[in-house]
Amino acid sequence: HYDSAFYENLVNRIRSVFDNAAITTDVMVGFAGEDDFDFKQSADFVKHIGFARAHVFAYSRRAGTKAHDMKSQVDQSTKAARSKEMIKICDDAALAFHKSQIGKTVEVLFETFDNNKYYEGYTKNYTKVKVETPLDIQNKIMNVTITDAFVSHCLGKIEQ
């Protein structure tokens, strides 16, 4: 049981002790009773926090729950529109976070090769990084300088 002020304080405390923290979350839209003002507050909060990644989903009624019988259910088209808008906000935040990684040299544990071009791995803060290399680096930790950023991942260059 917490509110947005508690959550924001917690995020700020994490960021004060963990350099380059990647904060992630789940965001539900369209819960029973959510009006335009509530949604705007949620959207503004998500923008303010600047999540590195977020999973957005629309509330769906479940029989036997208190929320199932609540009045003021949000209609499907409104939930879909709010979900689309929140995904855009979260994607913008993810891209901004990934862009903030450009120029940093970080350790990456490479786990997979996409059988096409890139090895994929994760940094200590769980940022996905892809590199193109002729070396077999699967299951290896490599120093990588981040060179480019996208919503879903960063590109990098292995440092020798």
Side-chain angles (χ1 to χ4, degrees), residues 4 15-16 27 38 43 50 55 79 108 112 128 134 140-141 151:
S4 59
R15 287 180 172 155
S16 75
V27 180
D38 295 329
H55 170 70
K79 284 194 272 190
V108 179
T112 60
K128 183 189 275 188
K140 293 185 180 167
I141 297 173
V151 169

Side-chain angles (χ1 to χ4, degrees), residues 113-141:
F113 181 68
D114 68 8
N115 292 321
N116 185 26
K117 191 173 183 177
Y118 294 104
Y119 280 92
E120 298 179 0
Y122 291 89
T123 65
K124 289 180 181 180
N125 70 1
Y126 210 66
T127 298
K128 183 189 275 188
V129 176
K130 295 182 179 188
V131 299
E132 187 176 359
T133 180
L135 304 172
D136 178 4
I137 59 171
Q138 191 164 357
N139 298 319
K140 293 185 180 167
I141 297 173

Side-chain angles (χ1 to χ4, degrees), residues 71-82:
K71 295 181 181 185
S72 302
Q73 295 290 328
V74 178
D75 65 81
Q76 288 299 99
S77 64
T78 301
K79 284 194 272 190
R82 288 178 182 168

